[in-house]
């Protein structure tokens, strides 16, 4: 159904198609797209995880992203633990075969924290969905986009090197969990993919979309 696919994760859809092509005939493949665009990783973290990890708690307090229960606005999914409570926790106990992670644009300013959170999230999801056994994790690197140039000078709403730093953060996590994880590096889209003679705010929308 084209209408359904158009609103689905392209990364998850392509992964499912690959599995269908490579697995034994008639092996069922089910992919759950439990995501929302632009969310920071903090909203996927449970309060139990955050408050039970001294390093994460200290980092979030330093960054100003920690929220007490009284500070949480339940209609704002961009806050700590909100998306976990609404969309992840209700699925606890479902025996998943693995997870695909393609997220991080909103965490560009803090790659070190992103690596800290992602490593803890992977262990937490193993407890929620893997029965305690390591849950296979697949990291898809972020494609460079939303970066602009004018006469050779970079003018970027996102600093030019932040995409690489977030991808390096995923690599750090992968190296700590390589026995049960894999990463998909982005090599085929150059850093100049949507760079042209435009200043910030003047890049055509279709040019940005084509680069993702």
């Amino acid at each position: 159904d084209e209408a359904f696919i158009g609103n689905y994760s392209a990364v998850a859809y392509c992964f499912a198609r690959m599995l269908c092509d490579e697995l034994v005939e008639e092996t069922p493949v089910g992919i759950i797209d439990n995501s929302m665009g632009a969310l920071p990783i903090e909203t996927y973290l449970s309060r139990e995880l955050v408050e039970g990890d001294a390093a994460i708690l200290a980092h979030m307090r330093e960054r100003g992203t920690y929220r007490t229960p009284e500070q949480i606005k339940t209609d704002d999914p961009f806050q700590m633990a909100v998306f976990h409570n609404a969309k992840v926790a209700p699925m606890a106990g479902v025996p998943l075969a693995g997870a695909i992670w393609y997220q991080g644009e909103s965490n560009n300013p803090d790659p070190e924290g992103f690596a800290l959170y992602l490593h803890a999230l992977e262990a937490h999801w193993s407890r929620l969905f893997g029965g305690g056994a390591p849950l296979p994790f697949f990291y898809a690197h972020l494609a460079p986009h939303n970066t602009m140039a004018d006469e050779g000078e970079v003018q970027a709403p996102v600093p030019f090197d932040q995409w690489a730093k977030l991808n390096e953060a995923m690599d750090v996590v992968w190296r700590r969990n390589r026995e049960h994880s894999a990463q998909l590096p982005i090599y085929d889209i150059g850093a100049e993919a949507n760079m042209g003679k435009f200043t910030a705010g003047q890049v055509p929308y279709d040019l940005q979309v084509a680069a993702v």
Side-chain angles (χ1 to χ4, degrees):
D1 186 286
E2 292 184 4
F4 171 76
I5 293 174
N7 292 310
Y8 201 71
S9 163
V11 171
Y13 174 76
C14 290
F15 185 76
R17 286 289 302 269
M18 180 189 71
L19 289 179
C20 289
D21 291 339
E22 296 188 2
L23 292 176
V24 177
E25 187 176 356
E26 297 184 357
T27 299
V29 175
I31 299 288
I32 300 171
D33 181 1
N34 196 2
S35 62
M36 179 176 172
L39 291 182
I41 192 173
E42 289 89 338
T43 194
Y44 288 90
L45 306 180
S46 72
R47 179 169 299 279
E48 176 188 19
L49 185 158
V50 171
E51 296 180 347
D53 189 308
I56 289 179
L57 182 58
H59 191 87
M60 290 185 68
R61 281 176 168 163
E62 180 183 352
R63 301 285 302 183
T65 56
Y66 173 75
R67 297 289 185 272
T68 66
E70 296 74 23
Q71 293 173 322
I72 291 291
K73 298 179 180 178
T74 55
D75 61 346
D76 182 359
F78 288 79
Q79 298 172 103
M80 173 195 117
V82 172
F83 195 79
H84 167 84
N85 294 339
K87 295 293 187 177
V88 178
M91 293 179 54
V94 175
L96 301 182
I100 305 168
W101 186 261
Y102 183 46
Q103 179 273 345
E105 287 88 346
S106 293
N107 292 101
N108 263 306
D110 183 27
E112 293 80 10
F114 181 77
L116 179 68
Y117 303 153
L118 183 57
H119 177 68
L121 179 83
E122 183 172 336
H124 188 219
W125 281 13
S126 292
R127 293 191 293 273
L128 286 180
F129 308 117
L135 183 72
F137 246 77
F138 299 87
Y139 314 115
H141 284 194
L142 303 181
H145 69 286
N146 202 25
T147 298
M148 290 154 255
D150 180 33
E151 298 297 336
E153 296 296 326
V154 174
Q155 299 180 15
V158 175
F160 187 75
D161 60 350
Q162 290 295 350
W163 305 115
K165 289 181 178 178
L166 259 293
N167 291 339
E168 287 177 351
M170 290 190 203
D171 182 69
V172 167
V173 178
W174 171 77
R175 291 177 186 277
R176 299 179 67 181
N177 304 292
R178 65 175 71 194
E179 295 82 6
H180 54 271
S181 65
Q183 59 179 328
L184 176 63
I186 299 295
Y187 293 127
D188 59 339
I189 302 178
E192 75 286 352
N194 72 329
M195 289 167 58
K197 296 187 181 302
F198 303 102
T199 57
Q202 294 178 317
V203 175
Y205 177 74
D206 59 345
L207 188 58
Q208 295 189 36
V209 171
V212 176

